[in-house]
C-alpha cells in the first residue's frame, strides 16, 4: 500500500522539489498551491494530485483537507508554504505583519489542526514543517519573519507531547540559504530611512550568504529522511551554514553569539 504525503506551497522551491522526490520514491503526492491550474509539470505525473490551497483562507483549508482525506489516507503532512519579510518593524504596515503571521504561522497551525482527527483515529501520522535557521537565531531586520519561525519551533516542541499521546509525530526542517526564488519571488521588503545603513549592510551580505546556499533538492532529501527514519527527533538542520552557526552558537553561548553578530552589523 502506497503512503501519501500532503504538501503546502508546492508550486516552487522546496515544496516542488519535495513533491517530485516523494513521487519518485513511489508515494502518492497531494501537491497544493494557490493556482494549481497554472502548473504544467507536476500535473502530468501519475499518482500526483494537485489541489488549490491558500493557507491564509481557513474555509479553503477545511475544504481542501476534507477533499484530500476523502480520496486518500494521508500519512504525512508537509507544511511548507511561506515567504520572507525584510525590514524594520517601523517600516511594516499592519497588513504586512498580519499577512506574514497568517501565512507562516497560522497557516501551519490551521492545516495541522484539520488533519489531527484523521491521524488520531488511525493512531499514526507525521507533521513536518519548514522553518529556518531563523527559527532558532535572529538576524537584523527580520523580526516578524523570526516571530513566525521561532513560533513554529516552539509550537512543534509543545505539540509533540499532545500528539505523542496518539502516536503522531511532529518535526521541523531548518534550512539555511537555499537556491530558490526566496530572494526575489518570496521576499517582501519594507524599507525605512532611519535604518538605511543597517539595510545596506544586510543586503550587502546577501551574496556571501548565498555562496554557501544549498539546492532545494537537498532540503527535500532531508524531508524524506525525516518522514521515513522513524526517529523521535523534532528539529532537522539542513546545510553546512546552518549546522556551523548552530554549533558555534551553542559553543559560544546565546548572548556572546548575539553580541558577535551585532558587531558585524552595528
Amino acid at each position: 500500500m502506497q503512503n501519501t504525503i500532503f504538501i503546502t506551497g508546492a508550486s516552487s522551491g522546496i515544496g516542488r522539489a519535495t513533491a517530485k522526490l516523494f513521487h519518485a520514491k513511489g508515494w502518492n503526492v497531494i501537491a497544493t498551491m494557490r493556482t494549481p491550474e497554472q502548473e504544467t509539470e507536476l500535473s502530468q505525473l501519475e499518482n500526483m494530485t494537485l489541489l488549490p490551497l491558500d493557507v491564509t483562507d481557513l474555509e479553503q483549508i477545511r475544504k481542501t483537507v476534507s477533499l484530500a482525506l476523502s480520496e486518500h489516507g494521508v500519512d504525512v503532512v508537509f507544511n511548507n508554504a511561506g515567504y520572507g519579510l525584510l525590514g524594520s518593524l517601523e517600516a511594516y504596515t499592519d497588513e504586512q505583519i498580519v499577512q506574514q503571521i497568517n501565512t507562516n504561522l497560522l497557516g501551519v497551525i490551521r492545516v495541522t489542526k484539520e488533519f489531527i482527527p484523521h491521524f488520531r483515529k488511525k493512531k499514526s501520522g507525521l507533521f513536518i514543517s519548514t522553518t529556518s535557521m531563523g527559527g532558532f537565531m535572529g538576524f537584523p531586520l527580520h523580526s516578524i519573519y523570526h516571530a513566525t519561525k521561532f513560533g513554529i519551533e516552539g509550537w512543534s516542541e509543545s505539540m509533540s507531547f499532545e500528539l505523542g499521546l496518539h502516536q503522531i509525530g511532529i518535526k521541523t526542517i531548518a534550512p539555511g540559504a537555499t537556491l530558490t526564488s526566496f530572494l526575489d519571488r518570496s521576499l517582501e521588503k519594507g524599507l525605512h530611512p532611519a535604518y538605511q545603513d543597517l539595510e545596506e549592510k544586510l543586503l550587502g551580505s546577501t551574496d556571501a550568504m548565498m555562496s554557501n546556499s544549498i539546492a532545494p533538492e537537498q532540503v527535500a532529501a532531508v524531508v524524506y529522511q525525516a518522514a521515513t527514519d522513524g526517529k523521535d527527533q523534532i528539529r532537522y538542520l539542513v546545510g553546512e551554514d546552518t549546522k556551523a552557526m548552530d554549533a558555534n552558537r551553542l559553543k559560544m553561548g546565546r548572548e556572546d553569539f548575539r553580541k558577535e553578530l551585532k558587531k558585524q552589523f552595528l
Side-chain angles (χ1 to χ4, degrees):
M1 183 177 176
Q2 286 179 307
N3 288 327
T4 299
I5 184 171
F6 180 99
I7 302 173
T8 70
S11 63
S12 64
I14 294 168
R16 186 185 191 85
T18 300
K20 292 170 74 172
L21 175 61
F22 275 76
H23 178 267
K25 296 287 190 180
W27 286 52
N28 286 316
V29 177
I30 302 172
T32 73
M33 57 198 73
R34 284 178 293 181
T35 54
E37 66 278 3
Q38 296 179 12
E39 175 57 46
T40 58
E41 182 187 8
L42 298 181
S43 59
Q44 303 302 312
L45 300 176
E46 193 176 350
N47 297 323
M48 177 78 68
T49 302
L50 269 58
L51 294 177
L53 184 59
D54 177 346
V55 298
T56 67
D57 184 337
L58 180 56
E59 190 57 38
Q60 190 176 53
I61 289 172
R62 288 170 174 165
K63 287 180 180 178
T64 296
V65 171
S66 178
L67 179 59
L69 290 175
S70 70
E71 297 182 357
H72 299 279
V74 174
D75 302 286
V76 176
V77 173
F78 180 37
N79 288 303
N80 173 70
Y83 69 99
L85 182 60
L86 167 68
S88 65
L89 184 61
E90 278 193 84
Y92 299 150
T93 64
D94 191 65
E95 288 76 17
Q96 284 178 307
I97 293 169
V98 169
Q99 183 69 11
Q100 175 85 143
I101 293 170
N102 273 342
T103 303
N104 287 15
L105 179 58
L106 292 180
V108 171
I109 292 171
R110 287 167 173 162
V111 169
T112 298
K113 188 171 183 285
E114 287 304 305
F115 276 103
I116 289 174
H118 167 70
F119 285 169
R120 183 165 45 79
K121 285 175 185 175
K122 69 173 193 167
K123 292 183 168 53
S124 68
L126 175 65
F127 295 105
I128 303 174
S129 300
T130 301
T131 59
S132 162
M133 70 163 70
F136 59 88
M137 58 175 290
F139 292 95
L141 303 178
H142 286 81
S143 63
I144 305 302
Y145 176 78
H146 284 304
T148 64
K149 295 302 185 179
F150 267 71
I152 293 173
E153 289 286 352
W155 169 80
S156 297
E157 187 167 329
S158 178
M159 284 296 295
S160 71
F161 301 107
E162 62 192 77
L163 293 177
L165 278 174
H166 304 287
Q167 293 77 54
I168 304 167
I170 189 165
K171 300 184 177 188
T172 65
I173 305 294
T178 308
L179 285 170
T180 66
S181 58
F182 186 85
L183 286 178
D184 45 25
R185 181 177 176 275
S186 301
L187 183 65
E188 185 175 335
K189 300 181 181 71
L191 305 182
H192 191 292
Y195 303 90
Q196 185 176 350
D197 288 348
L198 184 55
E199 290 162 2
E200 290 175 355
K201 284 182 181 179
L202 186 68
L203 292 171
S205 68
T206 298
D207 287 344
M209 178 184 74
M210 293 307 293
S211 67
N212 295 315
S213 58
I214 56 177
E217 288 76 13
Q218 290 174 263
V219 184
V222 178
V223 176
Y224 185 79
Q225 175 192 342
T228 58
D229 65 11
K231 291 182 179 179
D232 181 12
Q233 173 180 335
I234 292 182
R235 179 184 291 162
Y236 290 70
L237 305 184
V238 192
E240 294 308 312
D241 57 342
T242 308
K243 294 174 183 177
M245 280 199 176
D246 187 52
N248 198 23
R249 183 170 171 270
L250 291 173
K251 181 180 179 180
M252 293 177 66
R254 295 183 185 92
E255 290 298 334
D256 285 344
F257 183 85
R258 181 188 60 82
K259 290 172 185 174
E260 194 63 32
L261 193 63
K262 185 177 180 181
K263 289 177 187 176
Q264 297 179 32
F265 293 102
L266 303 183

